[in-house]
Amino acid sequence: MCGIIGYVGSRPCKELLLEGLKRLEYRGYDSAGVALLEEDGLHYVRAVGNLENLKRAAASNGSRVTHGLGHTRWATHGTVTEANAHPLTGCSERELAVALNGIVENYRELKESLLADGHTFSSETDAEVVIHLVERHYDGDLADAVRAAYDELEGHFSFVVIHRAHPDLLVGARCQTPLVVGVGEGETFLASSIAAFLPETRRVQFIEDGDVVSITPAGATFQSADGTTGDPDIVEVDWDEESAEKGGYETFMLKEIYEQADSVRETIGDRVRHGELVLEALEMTDEQIRNLRRIVIVACGTAYHAGVVGRYIIEEWARIPVEPDIASEWIYRNPVLSKDTLVIGISQSGETRDTVNAVKLARELGARTLAITNLMGTQITREAETVLYTRCGMEVGVAASKTFTAQAALLSLVALKLAQVRKTLPPEEIEFTLNQLYELPRKIDEFLDADHPIEEIAQRFYDKPFFLYLGRHIGLAVALEGALKLKEISYIPTEAYSAGEMKHGPIALLEEGTPVVVVATDIHVYDKIVSNIQEVRARGAHVIAVATDGNEDIQHHADDVIYVP
Ligand code: M6R
């Protein structure tokens, strides 16, 4: 989840690019760079850290240049270094460069073939293969070379290429990742978000997946995969700058809820290749994995709830006992650990003191340690032996959303990897589950795009003084997280409970009309959940069930149903 902005026109563009990057900074800020086309070819300025560093570094460069490309990075492949900052170049540095957003899933295979062809790589990124492919295919026509390169890529990405031989031209393409044209007077922008160029123009053209788009100061031309050219309508957006940053959503949290498909897609990304699991960063030998006797997951808040999801799937698939624990409790109770225990610390920010300290302590006590986090270079990555990253981009909303689902997806991959090595699941079941995971982003989008009675339910219940959330198994983890979200953003006192435990006390809280949200999806404890729903309804409470698409039975038990795939 990075940000791209490109410009062709007659104005000096360095400041335009830097300003555009500033507006994209909410997408990622670990490093940034610009490529400016001067008379003797492309010149680059790249800097690690926030944009001020890039501005300072670029102070003396290309003030008259009118053709350039900028990028702000949220690292996914390769550490946070200047060498990994985009725009990235091919073998001939002055000739051509690319800025990419997203993930190239087949970069390993492509890199091998490019290396065999004599290409030399200067970064650790997946993105660099794109510019070498363009270089390999280039024969005087940049759009053709981009098309040929695009056709070899797998994944979800958008990218823009600049070439010295084509002043006043930028060529880009997208696959399931945003890229949009900004149409100005005698100038054109190509960016990953409208926010990047909004103060300069409100006139935009949207690009379809598979289109190769070429921009010149006179406008954009679009070429689809079958070679036909298109001319999408120019749309005038009426967003202000603030709502543009939020992609038109009312709040960052809502925007991030809608980004879940992307963040799960990126997190799974190249880790599942044609039904195969590639999780090298786990960095444990098969023998070490086979010898594991216990896993402890330490985290806080939402990350802890993801850990509870982790418990169910790891125990189920890999048959290793898992204890999710609240980091702030765990560190103060003299934990019992040994070298056959793996301690997984989960922290979106990578900086939560209790979680970082828990991982540090685990390592001191001789356990193996793995951090799951969203940001490279953070404290937790320095304390843990190994690190796996969710790839959500920055989460601006204080209430976590997209990082929870991405953490759960990543824990699923870890569970499957452990199961594969320990042979606790048949290979065909692993392959089936990997394929299901691969399908997950599409299902998330389908759910978010469809109509649901959620808003109408909220209208009916927003002034209730108390909510109860119930679930069992993974549904309990989801209930815990749902209740946290309701408390955190609505200030409504909310309890989350294991549905089976409710009768041992909390049931006393229920009265006529108390809203009770029950996670009642199709899992092996569905019938037990239905019994719990009956207990709740006997008290006159109002049941809002979250159930699996197609489950008609739940209609007989719940007052409202929200269906999920
Ligand atoms: O950055 P972390 O994942 O370590 O943060 C832990 C919690 O503070 C965090 O998950 C918090 O509970 C959520 N933002 C609540 O929505």
Side-chain angles (χ1 to χ4, degrees):
M1 302 235 180
C2 308
I4 304 173
I5 177 166
Y7 174 87
V8 281
S10 54
R11 286 194 280 167
C13 69
K14 185 179 76 179
E15 286 307 319
L16 288 171
L17 297 179
L18 291 172
E19 286 306 310
L21 291 178
K22 184 81 203 148
R23 285 185 292 277
L24 293 175
E25 213 179 7
Y26 70 93
R27 292 186 65 83
Y29 53 67
D30 58 41
S31 52
V34 288
L36 300 166
L37 186 56
E38 306 217 34
E39 272 172 17
D40 62 343
L42 287 166
H43 284 248
Y44 304 87
V45 188
R46 304 185 186 96
V48 166
N50 72 28
L51 217 56
E52 289 309 312
N53 297 346
L54 180 67
K55 279 189 177 167
R56 269 195 296 278
S60 58
N61 288 71
S63 48
R64 296 217 309 271
V65 167
T66 59
H67 182 189
L69 182 58
H71 185 270
T72 174
R73 177 171 188 244
W74 184 279
T76 59
H77 290 67
T79 46
V80 180
T81 59
E82 261 181 48
N84 289 335
H86 301 211
L88 297 160
T89 181
C91 296
S92 28
E93 207 194 352
R94 292 273 172 259
E95 297 296 308
L96 76 174
V98 70
L100 180 135
N101 178 14
I103 290 189
V104 177
E105 291 175 8
N106 57 338
Y107 77 96
R108 294 183 190 85
E109 298 96 291
L110 292 171
K111 189 168 176 177
E112 247 171 59
S113 106
L114 287 157
L115 285 169
D117 255 13
H119 285 254
T120 50
F121 281 70
S122 52
S123 79
E124 305 158 327
T125 66
D126 55 330
E128 194 183 334
V129 296
V130 175
I131 200 64
H132 287 279
L133 283 178
V134 172
E135 198 167 38
R136 178 196 259 174
H137 290 295
Y138 181 71
D139 191 15
D141 186 320
L142 189 56
D144 280 356
V146 166
R147 159 66 60 206
Y150 181 92
D151 289 345
E152 290 189 51
L153 301 173
E154 290 172 25
H156 45 278
F157 46 76
S158 56
F159 65 86
V160 178
V161 176
I162 186 168
H163 198 297
R164 176 187 185 174
H166 303 272
D168 290 344
L169 174 70
L170 288 173
V171 180
R174 59 160 277 171
C175 177
Q176 299 177 56
T177 303
L179 191 66
V180 62
V181 176
V183 184
E185 295 296 332
E187 60 186 13
T188 312
F189 296 82
L190 192 50
S192 54
S193 159
I194 296 171
F197 52 70
L198 196 68
E200 310 305 328
T201 178
R202 292 177 173 277
R203 301 168 70 225
V204 305
Q205 283 177 298
F206 293 101
I207 304 165
E208 297 292 327
D209 277 352
D211 281 1
V212 167
V213 61
S214 305
I215 66 160
T216 67
T221 51
F222 298 75
Q223 197 179 53
S224 64
D226 62 9
T228 54
T229 51
D231 189 13
D233 290 343
I234 295 178
V235 180
E236 185 113 15
V237 292
D238 58 3
W239 298 348
D240 57 28
E241 279 187 46
E242 196 191 330
S243 64
E245 267 200 357
K246 294 180 194 144
Y249 293 99
E250 211 176 311
T251 61
F252 275 112
M253 185 184 177
L254 192 57
K255 173 172 173 284
E256 286 160 3
I257 286 171
Y258 276 84
E259 283 173 355
Q260 285 178 100
D262 279 347
S263 56
V264 169
R265 194 178 282 122
E266 293 216 358
T267 296
I268 296 174
D270 55 325
R271 290 164 172 156
V272 180
R273 304 279 308 126
H274 308 295
E276 288 285 314
L277 184 56
V278 190
L279 210 56
E280 290 148 1
L282 199 53
E283 282 175 18
M284 286 171 76
T285 62
D286 287 3
E287 197 188 342
Q288 286 165 340
I289 290 177
R290 277 193 293 272
N291 288 340
L292 279 179
R293 291 288 160 266
R294 179 174 161 236
I295 292 178
V296 174
I297 301 180
V298 282
C300 303
T302 295
Y304 166 73
H305 296 152
V308 179
V309 174
R311 161 206 273 171
Y312 290 105
I313 48 185
I314 296 172
E315 286 194 344
E316 179 82 25
W317 293 342
R319 308 306 296 151
I320 308 174
V322 181
E323 299 155 36
D325 220 318
I326 293 167
S328 57
E329 288 294 322
W330 188 81
I331 41 176
Y332 296 112
R333 64 159 211 260
N334 196 6
V336 182
L337 287 180
S338 55
K339 64 178 183 350
D340 52 13
T341 303
L342 171 66
V343 174
I344 305 179
I346 310 175
S347 172
Q348 183 283 127
S349 62
E351 297 288 344
T352 298
R353 181 66 23 219
D354 289 322
T355 311
V356 173
N357 284 345
V359 170
K360 187 165 181 248
L361 178 65
R363 204 163 171 186
E364 282 163 10
L365 294 176
R368 307 202 66 90
T369 49
L370 164 68
I372 290 186
T373 183
N374 197 36
L375 186 52
M376 284 189 185
T378 49
Q379 278 294 330
I380 203 166
T381 66
R382 292 196 280 276
E383 298 298 351
E385 244 176 318
T386 53
V387 186
L388 284 172
Y389 292 95
T390 51
R391 297 165 180 159
C392 305
M394 187 154 135
E395 192 165 58
V396 182
V398 171
S401 54
K402 61 179 178 176
T403 51
F404 173 71
T405 35
Q407 285 161 355
L410 189 49
L411 283 163
S412 305
L413 295 183
V414 172
L416 287 172
K417 174 73 186 178
L418 300 179
Q420 194 172 51
V421 174
R422 295 164 66 88
K423 299 194 182 350
T424 45
L425 280 183
E428 52 285 3
E429 199 169 326
I430 293 178
E431 192 183 336
F432 172 79
T433 313
L434 285 174
N435 288 333
Q436 293 287 302
L437 270 172
Y438 205 75
E439 286 291 297
L440 187 60
R442 185 181 56 74
K443 293 186 179 177
I444 295 174
D445 269 341
E446 258 173 39
F447 174 82
L448 290 171
D449 290 343
D451 286 334
H452 302 283
I454 297 171
E455 190 157 351
E456 186 264 317
I457 293 171
Q459 290 292 347
R460 269 189 281 139
F461 292 100
Y462 74 92
D463 57 354
K464 289 285 179 188
F466 170 70
F467 268 70
L468 181 64
Y469 277 56
L470 298 175
R472 280 172 176 258
H473 200 265
I474 284 189
L476 171 60
V478 175
L480 288 165
E481 177 57 9
L484 174 62
K485 292 295 95 108
L486 193 67
K487 296 182 239 210
E488 195 175 14
I489 65 171
S490 311
Y491 317 132
I492 300 174
T494 308
E495 275 279 12
Y497 246 83
S498 149
E501 183 68 3
M502 179 199 50
K503 59 179 172 288
H504 301 288
I507 198 160
L509 290 167
L510 300 182
E511 55 187 37
E512 195 66 34
T514 302
V516 179
V517 178
V518 185
V519 184
T521 45
D522 286 357
I523 52 174
H524 61 293
V525 285
Y526 173 75
D527 289 341
K528 296 199 173 300
I529 292 197
V530 168
S531 308
N532 300 135
I533 289 178
Q534 279 152 3
E535 291 162 6
V536 167
R537 289 191 82 189
R539 298 281 171 135
H542 184 102
V543 171
I544 302 160
V546 177
T548 305
D549 276 342
N551 177 356
E552 287 176 15
D553 173 70
I554 194 74
Q555 302 273 0
H556 304 298
H557 310 292
D559 300 285
D560 286 296
V561 183
I562 299 165
Y563 282 109
V564 296

